[in-house]
Amino acid sequence: MSTGRRADAVRNRGLALEATKTLLARPGVTLTVESIAKEAGVGTATVVRSFGGKEALIDAAVSALLEPVVRRARDLLEQNGPEQALRTFLAELIAFQSAHHAINDQLTGMDLPATTARRAELVRVMEEMIAGVRANGGIRTDIDPAVTMVMLGEVVYAFARSQPASPELVDGFITVVMDGLRPQPPAR
């Protein structure tokens, strides 16, 4: 008998997690335990019981959304040269952030340890990409790598928050950004 309740609890936890991920992708939606419960088709007490509260649920959902992004970044770095990995990943990151840009609006002021850890993993992989491109002469050495990281992150975020872009526009954007980071010929 307790096995049945346990299976229900696991199912309800999964429903709440998927509902939260769905709501995070909807611009303008305010995440509340009530809205999550309604989307999941469960009661508010079930959502709270499953995660202990809204922040823990949001943390689990955002971390779960970021996990395949981090894995993809690692795969690209292992399978391609660093510059191709960075270019491809920037395009994919723009697509991800375009689809999920409402997430950042929901996270302000929250304590999200799993999300923070996952974001740190993502930063580390991007730093590896940047270091590899820089070592191969594809990124200027007169710009600090940390500054390069912030610049890329901010321009990708800004671009992703604009209207969904065509692949051609994304490719052109990345080309312009990467060209701007290339070492400059000596002035004559």
Side-chain angles (χ1 to χ4, degrees):
M1 187 173 221
S2 82
T3 305
R5 281 192 223 137
R6 185 171 186 99
D8 282 351
V10 170
R11 179 183 60 82
N12 290 340
R13 182 178 172 86
L15 289 171
L17 189 60
E18 289 306 311
T20 304
K21 289 193 267 183
T22 298
L23 291 172
L24 282 167
R26 289 187 192 151
V29 170
T30 301
L31 281 176
T32 63
V33 171
E34 292 78 14
S35 65
I36 294 166
K38 182 177 178 183
E39 181 75 22
V42 299
T44 56
T46 299
V47 171
V48 172
R49 191 171 41 254
S50 295
F51 287 91
K54 181 176 90 169
E55 280 193 23
L57 175 53
I58 291 171
D59 191 25
V62 174
S63 177
L65 285 168
L66 289 174
E67 193 275 329
V69 175
V70 172
R71 186 175 49 243
R72 175 67 174 150
R74 284 190 187 122
D75 290 347
L76 285 168
L77 190 55
E78 288 174 12
Q79 297 166 1
N80 301 286
E83 185 164 351
Q84 185 57 48
L86 183 60
R87 287 183 62 88
T88 301
F89 184 67
L90 289 175
E92 292 178 11
L93 190 58
I94 288 169
F96 175 82
Q97 288 188 351
S98 289
H100 297 92
H101 70 80
I103 290 175
N104 284 333
D105 300 337
Q106 300 285 340
L107 304 184
T108 304
M110 292 188 180
D111 179 30
L112 306 171
T115 298
T116 300
R118 191 73 73 201
R119 282 180 167 170
E121 288 178 60
L122 184 58
V123 166
R124 281 191 298 275
V125 177
M126 285 191 65
E127 286 172 342
E128 287 178 43
M129 288 179 187
I130 291 167
V133 178
R134 187 178 166 133
N136 290 343
I139 290 181
R140 302 163 63 146
T141 57
D142 61 327
I143 300 174
D144 185 270
V147 171
T148 302
M149 180 69 181
V150 170
M151 286 181 352
L152 286 175
E154 292 297 322
V155 296
V156 164
Y157 178 74
F159 192 76
R161 287 191 66 101
S162 65
Q163 297 301 318
S166 69
E168 295 81 19
L169 185 58
V170 170
D171 187 57
F173 166 76
I174 292 169
T175 296
V176 168
V177 169
M178 294 301 290
D179 284 352
L181 289 172
R182 290 201 192 292
Q184 302 301 303
R188 292 182 191 201

